[in-house]
Amino acid sequence: MSDEFDALKAALRAGPAPEVDAKAQALAQAMNNFDRLQGSPLALRPKEDRPRRAGILSGVKAMLKAMTGRPWLAATTSAAALAVGMVVVLPVADPGRLRQTAPPAVPELVAPKAVTPADDAPVAGLTRTGRAPDPTESSRQQAPPTPPAEPRAAPANRVAEGNGVAEADMALQDQSVEAESGAVESYAAVPAPATLGLTPQAEMAPAPEPDTEAFANDTANPVRITAEDPVSTFSIDVDTASYAVVRQSLNAGQLPAPEAVRIEEMVNYFPYAYPAPEAGQAFRPTISVMPTPWNAGTRLVHIAIQGAMPAMADRPALNLVFLIDTSGSMEDANKLPLLKQSFALMLGQLRPTDQVAIVTYAGSAGQVLPPTFARDRRAILSALDQLSAGGSTAGAEGIALAYQVADTMKSDGEVSRVILATDGDFNVGISDPDALTAYIADQRASGTYLSVLGFGRGNLDDVTMQALAQNGNGTAAYIDTLSEARKVLVDQLTGALYPIADNVKIQVEWNPAEVAEYRLIGYETRALAREDFNNDRVDAGDIGAGTSVTAIYEITAPDSPALRNDPLRYQAAGAAEGPDELGFLRIRAVA
């Protein structure tokens, strides 16, 4: 091949040289012809081979004349019929209905394999190093890493139970956990891609522009000085609505509203391989400390609580009331149609002796399905299939009727729960939200809990949904795809419906000799006063069967360059040894 190429180059070099004068003459002649023809009276040459005939039917006739043979004739006749049909059908379509589409097809997801932590795994204490799993991992392409060995355990000071109150105290001890290579070990696994609730882009329906949406959130937790405020108290939160809302916005090409981002729900969206509780324990805490990835001068304290998973045979009977919003705002494909498909998935997880009732509300509330055993799937699915959207939203009336139906289904030793499914557009019947939440709290005390599922965007009232779920001892989730429905109502159904510990609160007392500053990451809407920790009348979150809770603090040592606050002049020296001064003035300005 090289010899032939060299011969070709030699032949090209041996050819006659280009005539420069001939090229210049040709170019001049072309320019002269162009200038001469600009004023020509002749008509322009047609751009088409034949003149255009007006009308679709004329074109069809011309096409049929040009074609010969039966196959070509049959093909062109079908095309002509299709074109005429489109002309007849499209004008009579209702433009207002064109935006409604059927729910997108969703590929079947393989159920994740259960992760069974070692029952004899020790309780890990607070360490100076260590690496926790990345809770924000959401890549569908990344394979789950193999969890290395757990950190060394720090002994618990006290685990006491009495009078129905369980407490677990753990001292913050100074231990380091590092791998032999110097890299910090990780003790929790990242879930497989199929368990993350992430779906292909084709499944995501575009979100409308936010209209009347409102989200429950508060100002980010500040950095606190340990010497002034050494105790941090908050209620746990196992809701996941914020993560699903943020993901749906991003998949639709929009940035989520800042107030829609609740950090603790982003973290708690994923399952983690925390050590399981020992036999007879409701939950098990695991604590570790690791360097902060974004700030070398601080560390992260990772607090995890893993709930016990009772045997399936020990699960009590379940009484569910589906409280379904059928108002006019629920007509979109990602609202009522998706809701029907989601509840149909859930039915497959119920035992034959569990009971289901359906209550709807729009202009008024009504009972669509009386209490029915789950084994009668045909009757339940038929009732769901007949639901349609229309009317305004009488939310308070529907909630009251749902609780009345739940009361008729109660029996000793059984679990009763109302599942409210709505887009949150409570525009009728809730004139006093405080009275409604107080009513739900009273019903909670009677043994009937309330969980909330949000559907659709545009008028999502996340504030009301969060308030109802928190006062009803239930969870709040947002469902934007059938895959998310499978995660919430199939994979995590047991944890969502069967509480194993009520009023779970976390309190940490920091040692000022080791921690100068700290801040709690997230949980802004779950903050509690210090004295609320011992007050069982102050409601807090619940842990469901087999579920886990994660909380993260960022702490700063007294000698760290990352301290946000200057040390106090007099408290550090002591009142008796301090300088003879009335006070000390500091002035700061930015040039």
Side-chain angles (χ1 to χ4, degrees):
M1 178 63 70
S2 177
D3 295 340
E4 296 177 359
F5 184 68
D6 293 339
L8 177 61
K9 290 194 297 182
L12 291 175
R13 293 193 189 98
E19 298 181 6
V20 180
D21 295 339
K23 180 179 179 181
Q25 293 176 2
L27 181 61
Q29 181 65 33
M31 295 297 297
N32 182 42
N33 292 337
F34 177 79
D35 295 337
R36 180 173 53 82
L37 293 176
Q38 293 303 307
S40 175
L42 298 178
L44 296 177
R45 178 182 299 176
K47 298 179 180 179
E48 300 177 357
D49 294 338
R50 59 184 65 85
R52 183 187 301 272
R53 288 182 170 86
I56 295 179
L57 295 179
S58 299
V60 172
K61 291 179 181 179
M63 181 173 60
L64 291 177
K65 289 181 180 180
M67 299 295 180
T68 57
R70 291 186 178 182
W72 283 104
L73 182 60
T76 52
T77 304
S78 301
L82 176 60
V84 175
M86 291 178 63
V87 170
V88 173
V89 173
L90 287 179
V92 300
D94 182 3
R97 306 285 294 183
L98 293 179
R99 61 187 178 91
Q100 302 182 20
T101 57
V106 180
E108 285 292 326
L109 298 181
V110 179
K113 296 183 179 179
V115 179
T116 306
D119 292 335
D120 58 348
V123 177
L126 288 178
T127 62
R128 282 200 181 273
T129 58
R131 184 179 178 185
D134 183 5
T136 61
E137 177 62 52
S138 60
S139 172
R140 192 173 174 83
Q141 287 77 25
Q142 181 175 351
T146 302
E150 296 182 8
R152 272 193 318 222
N157 284 353
R158 176 169 62 92
V159 177
E161 295 186 8
N163 300 325
V165 180
E167 296 183 358
D169 292 354
M170 302 187 70
L172 310 189
Q173 302 207 4
D174 183 10
Q175 291 185 348
S176 298
V177 181
E178 295 188 2
E180 294 180 359
S181 61
V184 197
E185 292 182 327
S186 170
Y187 62 92
V190 176
T195 70
L196 298 183
L198 301 178
T199 54
Q201 182 65 28
E203 185 184 344
M204 299 298 179
E209 288 293 331
D211 183 14
T212 59
E213 295 186 336
F215 295 95
N217 214 327
D218 206 342
T219 307
N221 289 321
V223 173
R224 301 189 181 276
I225 301 175
T226 307
E228 299 174 359
D229 189 7
V231 178
S232 173
T233 309
F234 63 96
S235 164
I236 67 162
D237 185 7
V238 294
D239 295 342
T240 60
S242 177
Y243 180 92
V245 168
V246 169
R247 183 193 61 201
Q248 196 269 347
S249 296
L250 295 176
N251 279 315
Q254 301 174 353
L255 286 177
E259 60 271 17
V261 181
R262 293 186 289 269
I263 299 298
E264 73 276 7
E265 296 187 23
M266 309 287 286
V267 173
N268 284 309
Y269 180 85
F270 301 100
Y272 302 102
Y274 296 141
E278 297 179 359
Q281 292 184 345
F283 55 86
R284 177 177 180 174
T286 302
I287 304 174
S288 61
V289 181
M290 62 220 67
T292 304
W294 59 84
N295 191 347
T298 66
R299 290 169 292 162
L300 296 182
V301 178
H302 184 276
I303 301 174
I305 300 177
Q306 177 64 52
M309 174 63 80
M312 187 62 66
D314 299 334
R315 198 187 80 176
L318 187 62
N319 301 316
L320 296 179
V321 179
F322 294 164
L323 176 56
I324 300 176
D325 181 358
T326 56
S327 62
S329 62
M330 290 288 291
E331 66 179 351
D332 294 341
N334 61 346
K335 294 185 179 181
L336 186 58
L338 178 59
L339 184 155
K340 295 179 183 180
Q341 295 176 338
S342 301
F343 280 150
L345 284 177
M346 179 181 179
L347 290 179
Q349 304 303 306
L350 302 181
R351 294 183 300 184
T353 55
D354 294 336
Q355 292 191 79
V356 173
I358 300 178
V359 173
T360 62
Y361 64 95
S364 60
Q367 180 174 333
V368 175
L369 179 72
T372 304
F373 287 110
R375 59 173 171 261
D376 194 356
R377 290 175 51 87
R378 179 175 298 179
I380 300 174
L381 292 174
S382 176
L384 283 173
D385 187 59
Q386 294 176 8
L387 300 180
S388 59
S392 56
T393 312
E397 184 179 350
I399 291 174
L401 178 58
Y403 277 118
Q404 293 176 12
V405 174
D407 287 339
T408 66
M409 304 167 67
K410 284 183 179 178
S411 184
D412 293 339
E414 297 181 350
V415 174
S416 296
R417 186 178 294 268
V418 175
I419 300 180
L420 169 61
T422 177
D423 63 353
D425 187 13
F426 299 100
N427 52 33
V428 175
I430 301 184
S431 57
D432 188 355
D434 293 337
L436 179 62
T437 53
Y439 170 76
I440 292 177
D442 292 339
Q443 296 297 322
R444 174 193 70 210
S446 69
T448 300
Y449 292 172
L450 172 71
S451 293
V452 183
L453 302 178
F455 290 83
R457 296 294 301 275
N459 50 6
L460 186 68
D461 188 357
D462 177 78
V463 175
T464 302
M465 293 168 54
Q466 289 287 326
L468 297 181
Q470 291 182 19
N471 284 274
N473 269 18
T475 58
Y478 173 74
I479 295 179
D480 58 335
T481 65
L482 202 58
S483 294
E484 183 67 14
R486 184 184 300 276
K487 173 182 179 293
V488 174
L489 299 177
V490 176
D491 300 338
Q492 300 176 354
L493 180 66
T494 302
L497 299 182
Y498 294 95
I500 59 174
D502 294 340
N503 283 1
V504 181
K505 306 168 186 176
I506 292 178
Q507 186 174 82
V508 178
E509 179 184 357
W510 299 102
N511 180 5
E514 296 290 335
V515 178
E517 295 174 345
Y518 70 90
R519 72 180 181 99
L520 175 62
I521 300 177
Y523 291 94
E524 285 83 3
T525 63
R526 301 281 184 158
L528 296 175
R530 177 178 174 179
E531 60 271 17
D532 291 341
F533 184 76
N534 295 320
N535 187 358
D536 293 334
R537 291 178 296 179
V538 176
D539 186 53
D542 309 296
I543 293 182
T547 60
S548 62
V549 181
T550 302
I552 301 174
Y553 283 92
E554 183 181 12
I555 62 172
T556 310
D559 57 350
S560 171
L563 286 172
R564 301 278 188 93
N565 299 276
D566 294 331
L568 296 178
R569 180 178 179 86
Y570 306 112
Q571 280 77 358
E577 302 175 1
D580 187 13
E581 299 173 351
L582 292 177
F584 187 77
L585 173 66
R586 290 186 178 94
I587 299 176
R588 181 182 179 89
V590 179

